[in-house]
Amino acid sequence: MTTNDCFFFGKITKTHGLKGELTIKLDVANPADFKDLRYLLIEDKGNLIPYFIEYQKISGDKMFVLFQDLKTIEQAVSFMGKAVFLPNEMMPELDDDEFYYKEIIGFKLIDATKGEIGAISDVLEYPTQAVIQVMKDGKEILIPIHDDIIQKVDKKAKTLNINAPEGLIDMYLNM
């Protein structure tokens, strides 16, 4: 299993207690959706290694976890800073008008004024804003992900309809 088959779940930030427990800073919208996990995938040297959970507790955006084969604080220290993943099929179902960023890559982006812009090549996450990246005629177009801009998501047709602010798309194409 590779990171392409998975989603980023969080990052191990520190040890917790003296018996090998770890603290994971979660990167999911609703941590309670993940209260009964059997295992987590930990990235180590480019590989995803499954670790089976003996105990877990969620508090806010943190998960405290003890893995079955991890019993000392010395062992736990070696996990600090590592990325944690889960298989894509464990992602909670979303409403029809909601989407995961990686889910829309490849969708056709259609603007209310300009028509079809092109296929979504990526979603870039910046500290203050996530943006949709589309390449058209060799030029990069960035569209903010915002409720005022995104009009409709059609997962079956693999289209994302937007109403881009006036002049935004032209700004990129005329550069």
Side-chain angles (χ1 to χ4, degrees):
M1 187 171 295
T2 68
T3 55
N4 290 335
D5 305 315
C6 299
F7 67 96
F8 180 73
F9 182 62
K11 187 173 187 175
I12 299 171
T13 57
K14 60 184 178 177
T15 60
H16 180 77
L18 301 174
K19 296 181 180 175
E21 284 182 273
L22 296 164
T23 302
I24 301 170
K25 171 82 164 90
L26 302 177
D27 187 36
V28 292
N30 190 5
D33 290 342
F34 301 95
K35 64 181 170 60
D36 294 320
L37 296 174
R38 293 181 40 234
Y39 67 93
L40 295 171
L41 300 168
I42 310 295
E43 187 174 36
D44 187 31
K45 299 176 186 163
N47 297 313
L48 293 179
I49 313 293
Y51 287 89
F52 291 90
I53 296 171
E54 184 172 306
Y55 164 83
Q56 72 178 35
K57 178 184 173 191
I58 294 175
S59 178
D61 66 348
K62 291 184 177 72
M63 176 185 276
F64 304 99
V65 65
L66 178 64
F67 293 119
Q68 288 178 357
D69 298 325
L70 192 65
K71 299 297 179 198
T72 69
I73 192 165
E74 292 78 20
Q75 291 172 315
V77 167
S78 68
F79 284 77
M80 288 177 33
K82 294 193 179 203
V84 181
F85 292 85
L86 286 173
N88 285 335
E89 57 267 12
M90 293 177 79
M91 292 175 96
E93 289 288 321
L94 296 176
D95 293 336
D96 287 341
D97 60 342
E98 299 177 312
F99 57 86
Y100 291 108
Y101 292 164
K102 71 188 310 182
E103 178 180 22
I104 62 169
I105 295 173
F107 278 32
K108 287 182 187 173
L109 186 69
I110 302 169
D111 180 62
T113 305
K114 298 285 183 189
E116 187 175 326
I117 305 301
I120 297 172
S121 55
D122 205 354
V123 175
L124 308 173
E125 294 186 65
Y126 294 108
T128 58
Q129 178 75 58
V131 295
I132 294 167
Q133 180 190 51
V134 177
M135 301 303 289
K136 182 173 177 75
D137 301 329
K139 296 186 179 192
E140 177 186 57
I141 299 172
L142 300 176
I143 306 292
I145 295 179
H146 193 277
D147 290 341
D148 292 340
I149 295 173
I150 296 174
Q151 304 296 302
K152 181 181 174 193
V153 180
D154 187 336
K155 294 178 183 178
K156 287 182 183 170
K158 295 192 180 256
T159 59
L160 186 72
N161 293 72
I162 64 167
N163 188 7
E166 188 175 331
L168 179 66
I169 295 170
D170 288 333
M171 176 185 75
Y172 288 105
L173 295 176
N174 295 329
M175 292 177 105

